[in-house]
Amino acid sequence: MEPDLHELLRSLRVWDVELPTFDPAGAPAEPLPLFTAWFAEAVAAGQAEPHTMSLATVDEDGLPDIRTVMLHGADDGGWAFASHSTSRKGRQLAARPYAALGFYWPAQGRQIRLRGPVTVGSPEEAQADLHARSTGALAAALAGRQSEVLGSVEELARASEAAWDRARREPDAPAPTWTLYRLRPEEAEFFQGDARRRHLRLTYRRTEEGWLKELLWP
């Protein structure tokens, strides 16, 4: 018997944990310190893979796209992630350099959303970022051809084995299309879930005078 999707959905509950409190009045003047604090708390709470995030882009026709990527860092320059410039997301960002990021940490009932323009780091930055990561990350980058049509699983296995061999032999091997991107948020939203559905939403909006903080109805 096939599973009943609707029955499964009705059986699920969210945030079956004690949720932290959040006082927006005590939030810092800029979003980065609050992001850093919440990230550290997510790690301490045992949230699985808190450094993964949804990346939303649009293509040349304005159609939306989304996928999960890894956060490579965050500072005054923006939130960093990486990909091949020849990948689907790379081509979309080249055509429309604007994106949104979304973090979801159910261990604490928290979401963070960021939206803003995306810039490209230098080739030197991209290669330094790549070579600071694991052998597997380098092997995946060396395999290349991201988002192209794959002929077979066997073709992938052969390319992967060759890439792993090279990554082990040449830990500084270059991946020319590997690109470091930074999203510099114009808007940031911090969402704290509440068991009684009194969710708190604090937004930051960049203005000429600095960051403007506002609360939103849930």
Side-chain angles (χ1 to χ4, degrees):
M1 179 182 296
E2 294 185 0
D4 186 311
L5 176 60
H6 297 289
E7 287 292 336
L8 287 172
L9 289 172
R10 284 192 289 270
S11 71
L12 298 176
R13 297 294 179 267
V14 297
W15 306 329
D16 192 18
V17 294
E18 184 175 348
L19 299 178
T21 59
F22 173 50
D23 179 9
E30 299 184 356
L32 180 58
L34 184 55
F35 175 87
T36 302
W38 277 26
F39 185 87
E41 291 170 14
V43 172
Q47 174 63 56
E49 300 183 355
H51 57 321
T52 57
M53 57 190 183
S54 298
L55 166 66
T57 56
V58 294
D59 64 15
E60 296 87 343
D61 298 320
L63 298 177
D65 209 343
I66 193 167
R67 75 287 289 163
T68 301
V69 299
M70 185 180 296
L71 177 68
H72 286 214
D75 54 29
D76 291 339
W79 274 247
F81 58 94
S83 181
H84 289 283
S85 60
T86 51
S87 68
R88 179 179 294 180
K89 68 179 90 59
R91 296 194 304 270
Q92 291 171 352
L93 288 169
R96 293 173 177 259
Y98 203 93
L101 299 174
F103 295 84
Y104 177 46
W105 299 325
Q108 296 192 301
R110 286 176 170 173
Q111 299 180 55
I112 299 175
R113 300 166 58 206
L114 308 166
R115 184 166 65 165
V118 176
T119 58
V120 175
S122 70
E124 292 77 17
E125 286 182 295
Q127 295 306 304
D129 170 78
L130 176 60
H131 295 129
R133 301 179 67 203
S134 67
T135 301
L138 176 58
L142 292 174
R145 303 180 66 179
Q146 190 176 39
S147 301
E148 294 184 18
V149 174
L150 175 66
S152 67
V153 174
E154 292 74 21
E155 182 183 357
L156 172 61
R158 290 191 298 269
S160 177
E161 284 300 319
W164 271 92
D165 289 344
R166 186 181 178 196
R168 294 189 184 102
R169 293 193 319 268
E170 303 177 51
D172 294 326
T177 59
W178 189 254
T179 303
L180 186 67
Y181 298 93
R182 287 188 179 88
L183 184 148
R184 186 171 184 264
E186 294 177 340
E187 299 176 34
E189 179 183 319
F190 293 79
F191 173 103
Q192 174 62 69
D194 179 84
R196 299 191 68 180
R197 301 304 191 264
R198 297 170 183 170
H199 312 313
L200 292 173
R201 296 174 62 189
L202 173 66
T203 66
Y204 291 80
R205 185 158 46 86
R206 194 188 294 272
T207 70
E208 293 183 357
E209 292 76 31
W211 289 99
L212 173 65
K213 292 193 296 182
E214 296 176 312
L215 292 174
L216 299 180
W217 279 86

